[in-house]
Amino acid sequence: MTASPSAPAAPARSDIAGSLAAVVAAGLFGMLGPITRLAGDAGLPGIGMTAWRALLGTLFLAAVVVATRSGGETAAALRGLTRHGRTMLATAAVSGFVLNAAMFSAFGLAPVALVLMMFYTYPAGVAIVDVVAGHERLTRWRAAALGLSMGGVVLVLAGGAAASGAPQDVAAGVALGLVASASQVVFITASRSGYRSVPAPAASMLIMATAVLGAGIVAIIAGQGAGLLVPLSTPGLWPLILLAGVAAAGISSSLFLVAIRRIGGTRTGILMLFEPVVGVILAAVVLGESLSVAQAIGTGLVLLGALVLQRGAEPDLAPVVEAAAGPMV
């Protein structure tokens, strides 16, 4: 049978759609830093933003599960999880909460660009874990990428003296960015094969629901329980919360999954480097933040290191980014 002349166009359309989905998802994720800072200025603490964003994201994904009628499949998959699978899902949920709480708190303390660059050391962290665990070899690509990323971090930290804000706050924000990066490494490691039988929207919904519960508990323990109620008395916060919860959580996570399924994990990971670029640009335009020369060079090295890791990834490394939606799960 002779192939139709239009047959080869389908993969091209799929590539374009997948690439566009990844870029849009990255752009939506990139908005979170400036949104969090603006919400903080209006009285909503970082832990409060964590709770509200996760709540709206959970509701959005629950609607997706209902609309796709995948509730039965999800329940069966959860019942069929082994003890290891349940442990990995619980680990992913906890690390996802820590990741989000650390990032949203960091955005309120340090320049958005600094926090994002600390977070984007996670590809190097994943590579190190793979090498130590014996899953991957320390190839020239990975060694070069690790060197670039670490050199970039040093430059970013060295230029931190020029950052606005109290030095102790900036230092705390940078530290929280690194905590978020470590949490992302744990999240990805746990998500690679621990609970693949659970549909992605449902797994993400459970992880976000854990973030809602965790943020509420932490806020009460830290004496910030009243901060959770700020949106109820501040209507002006809702556009920011809706952007963070629906656009930069539910929609972006769904687009990220579409991208992975259409163009693969490695190519999606490369395009997701658009996220910190958007975050840095928006921070400059909306918040008036700027980078020193050393920080700008360091930022470029961190991104280049992440890019080299993706470009040098072997086929079996594709799942490295499949479980991660940038800083937000």
Side-chain angles (χ1 to χ4, degrees), residues 14-32 120 247-248 251-260 262-279 281-282 325-326:
S14 180
D15 284 357
I16 292 174
S19 297
L20 182 61
V23 169
V24 173
L28 292 175
F29 284 130
M31 296 190 308
L32 285 170
Y120 260 83
I251 294 176
S252 55
S253 296
S254 299
L255 288 174
F256 184 74
L257 179 61
V258 168
I260 289 170
R262 286 179 177 265
I263 62 175
T266 297
R267 291 174 64 185
T268 299
I270 293 172
L271 292 172
M272 286 303 293
L273 293 176
F274 186 56
E275 176 191 342
V277 175
V278 171
I281 292 174
L282 285 179

Side-chain angles (χ1 to χ4, degrees), residues 81-295:
L81 281 177
T82 63
R83 178 179 297 179
H84 172 74
R86 291 193 294 270
T87 300
M88 290 299 98
L89 181 56
T91 300
V94 173
S95 60
F97 159 64
V98 174
L99 186 163
N100 282 275
M103 285 295 285
F104 285 127
S105 298
F107 283 142
L109 297 171
V112 171
L114 290 183
V115 176
L116 285 173
M117 286 311 101
M118 294 302 98
F119 175 73
Y120 260 83
T121 60
Y122 81 81
V126 171
I128 291 173
V129 169
D130 284 338
V131 171
V132 171
H135 298 314
E136 304 293 339
R137 294 174 293 105
L138 184 60
T139 63
R140 292 180 180 179
W141 278 104
R142 293 191 183 91
L146 293 176
L148 287 170
S149 294
M150 294 304 102
V153 170
V154 170
L155 283 175
V156 168
L157 293 176
S164 59
Q168 62 270 26
D169 287 344
V170 173
V174 167
L176 285 171
L178 290 173
V179 169
S181 177
S183 300
Q184 181 79 321
V185 173
V186 174
F187 179 86
I188 291 173
T189 302
S191 300
R192 273 181 162 174
S193 59
Y195 49 94
R196 285 188 177 182
S197 61
V198 181
S204 296
M205 179 184 69
L206 292 173
I207 291 169
M208 286 191 181
T210 301
V212 177
L213 178 62
I217 293 174
V218 170
I220 292 173
I221 292 177
Q224 297 184 9
L228 297 175
L229 304 178
V230 169
L232 301 181
S233 59
T234 312
L237 276 171
W238 280 102
L240 297 174
I241 294 174
L242 288 171
L243 271 176
V246 177
I251 294 176
S252 55
S253 296
S254 299
L255 288 174
F256 184 74
L257 179 61
V258 168
I260 289 170
R261 289 177 174 174
R262 286 179 177 265
I263 62 175
T266 297
R267 291 174 64 185
T268 299
I270 293 172
L271 292 172
M272 286 303 293
L273 293 176
F274 186 56
E275 176 191 342
V277 175
V278 171
V280 170
I281 292 174
L282 285 179
V285 174
V286 177
L287 305 175
E289 292 184 356
S290 61
L291 295 175
S292 67
V293 174
Q295 288 172 334

